[in-house]
Amino acid sequence: MHIDIAGLPPERIIFETSPLAELGLALHALSEPGHHPGLHGWATATSAALEPDLADRLHEAEFLWRHTFSDVFMPFAGVRGGDGRTGTTLAEDLDILDKLDDERFVSAALEFTCTSLYGTGAPSPLTDTAMRDRALHMAAARGAQQLEFTQQLLDDPGAVRGWIRRLLEDCDQAFFADTWRRAQVQLVADARHKTELLRHKGVPAALSAVSAALSLDEEAGRISVDKLTQGRTDFSGSAGRAGLTLIPTSFGWPHLMVLHAPGWRPVIHYPVHRPELPSPASVELLRLRMEALAHPMRMRICRDLARSPYSTGELASSHGITPPEVSRHLAVLKKAGLITTRRRGRYVLHSLDLTVVARLGSDFLEGVLR
């Protein structure tokens, strides 16, 4: 994922908080608690306290936040002629959402029906018959409830928009107002800290503090985000003044999301750093490790190295292959960061890095969810 910022003045890169964006991720955590093991307690208690009517309405609209994180939760990035600023309260964010035109609102709400076309600037299903048919077809695959909701949204977007606003306002009253009061302090402090880093130490330092998954090619003026998703955008979206917005979230980990819809202001929605969270493994490193372990001989070698350090000659004798063959397998494992080596006299001993191997499952899950 790449964001072109060549020529963008640093003052147009801003860190802000957004109650609406945080509510979107809170709703996602309620519907997909398996993605957020650190939030199980909050999710269980919040779900148990929901009134049945509100729980039913949330289930009806969960396509907005469960399988895809809809851009309707960041309307400040899509309001044509807007200033690109978020609201300080949920009510202000919802007022900004009301300013989003119907075409952009509907396209963002139906993101789950056109994820493969997200970065192409596909026409609105409100005006394009083929896109409307596609949206209805994809919604039908998700069930009758999704199809009915999509049909209503396409036939009367104004009525559905009002329904969604009331739903989010009811969420605020039921649980989110208290949640936001607790989360806001940390998020505001994080945004302020990153702003100071940007002002005093520059863009590279600020991005480095956001996430190890972000990198900056200063010569090319390009931010790269280490995700399995592919996409490209730049700071000159037609909505609002040109720029880039970064929004911290306390509910987001392991997700690191990039709004890169054509014509929208690019946004990086990043989880705030917590000391107990491991640094993310890069997608490339994850690929190397999984490919290294896919070979049956390397799996057998790992079985030995997990039990005790072995020399190349010992491994060759144990597995009935030549020392050069062992060396080639060890080189692959070492490049993937799966083994360590140490010298004992004239022998070089190899060991499996058990800590790294033990993290493979969580690294994979984080990588695909990031």
Side-chain angles (χ1 to χ4, degrees), residues 252-272:
W253 191 88
H255 308 298
L256 174 65
M257 288 170 288
V258 181
L259 190 164
H260 63 285
W264 290 54
R265 181 187 180 97
V267 180
I268 298 175
H269 200 188
Y270 66 94
V272 293

Side-chain angles (χ1 to χ4, degrees), residues 98 105 156-169:
D98 287 342
F105 180 89
D156 191 354
V160 176
R161 291 179 67 155
W163 185 90
I164 289 174
R165 173 161 185 152
R166 289 190 297 275
L167 173 65
L168 299 179
E169 288 172 337

Side-chain angles (χ1 to χ4, degrees), residues 42-209:
W42 174 86
T44 301
T46 301
S47 296
L50 290 177
E51 293 290 339
D53 173 67
L54 179 57
D56 288 344
R57 286 186 288 146
L58 288 175
H59 180 70
E60 188 175 350
E62 69 176 6
F63 66 86
L64 291 172
W65 55 76
R66 183 166 191 169
H67 303 292
T68 57
F69 185 75
S70 171
D71 289 342
V72 300
F73 290 103
M74 290 187 276
F76 66 89
V79 174
R80 301 179 197 272
D83 60 7
R85 310 297 298 202
T86 63
T88 57
T89 65
L90 181 63
E92 290 180 6
D93 266 349
L94 292 175
D95 288 343
I96 297 172
L97 179 60
D98 287 342
K99 296 177 183 177
L100 201 65
D101 63 59
D102 280 349
E103 286 190 7
R104 287 196 166 183
F105 180 89
V106 170
S107 293
L110 297 181
E111 206 171 294
F112 76 99
T113 70
C114 59
T115 51
S116 62
L117 304 175
Y118 178 86
T120 65
S124 167
L126 289 179
T127 58
D128 186 272
T129 302
M131 285 301 296
R132 179 187 177 92
D133 291 343
R134 174 189 171 89
L136 291 171
H137 175 73
M138 298 295 288
R142 294 289 177 90
Q145 190 175 53
Q146 301 285 9
L147 177 60
E148 181 182 359
F149 198 100
T150 301
Q151 185 74 62
Q152 292 175 354
L153 183 60
L154 291 171
D155 290 344
D156 191 354
V160 176
R161 291 179 67 155
W163 185 90
I164 289 174
R165 173 161 185 152
R166 289 190 297 275
L167 173 65
L168 299 179
E169 288 172 337
D170 289 346
C171 288
D172 190 46
Q173 184 176 357
F175 67 89
F176 185 69
D178 289 337
T179 299
W180 177 247
R181 272 193 292 271
R182 292 192 298 269
Q184 183 181 19
V185 176
Q186 180 190 28
L187 299 182
V188 169
D190 186 87
R192 184 181 300 120
H193 171 63
K194 301 293 194 302
T195 299
E196 290 300 308
L197 276 177
L198 177 65
R199 182 177 303 153
H200 297 294
K201 295 189 177 181
V203 176
L207 292 179
S208 178

Side-chain angles (χ1 to χ4, degrees), residues 261-333:
W264 290 54
R265 181 187 180 97
V267 180
I268 298 175
H269 200 188
Y270 66 94
V272 293
H273 175 72
R274 299 204 303 270
E276 69 273 18
L277 295 179
S279 296
S282 71
V283 171
E284 175 62 18
L285 183 57
L286 181 62
R287 182 187 66 79
L288 284 175
R289 287 174 175 171
M290 296 183 74
E291 288 181 351
L293 292 174
H295 194 285
M297 178 54 71
R298 289 196 285 272
M299 289 275 288
R300 291 168 60 191
I301 289 174
C302 284
R303 180 176 183 273
D304 288 337
L305 299 184
R307 299 181 177 192
S308 176
Y310 276 76
S311 68
T312 301
E314 288 175 315
L315 290 169
S317 176
S318 174
H319 295 286
I321 58 178
T322 66
E325 287 179 289
V326 171
S327 294
R328 284 193 290 272
H329 287 304
L330 291 174
V332 173
L333 293 169

Side-chain angles (χ1 to χ4, degrees), residues 223-259:
I223 298 172
S224 295
V225 188
D226 188 40
K227 290 172 62 73
L228 283 170
T229 304
Q230 294 185 343
R232 193 174 208 93
T233 187
D234 59 46
F235 63 86
S236 58
S238 61
R241 292 180 298 172
L244 168 67
T245 301
L246 296 97
I247 298 180
T249 168
S250 59
F251 280 86
W253 191 88
H255 308 298
L256 174 65
M257 288 170 288
V258 181
L259 190 164

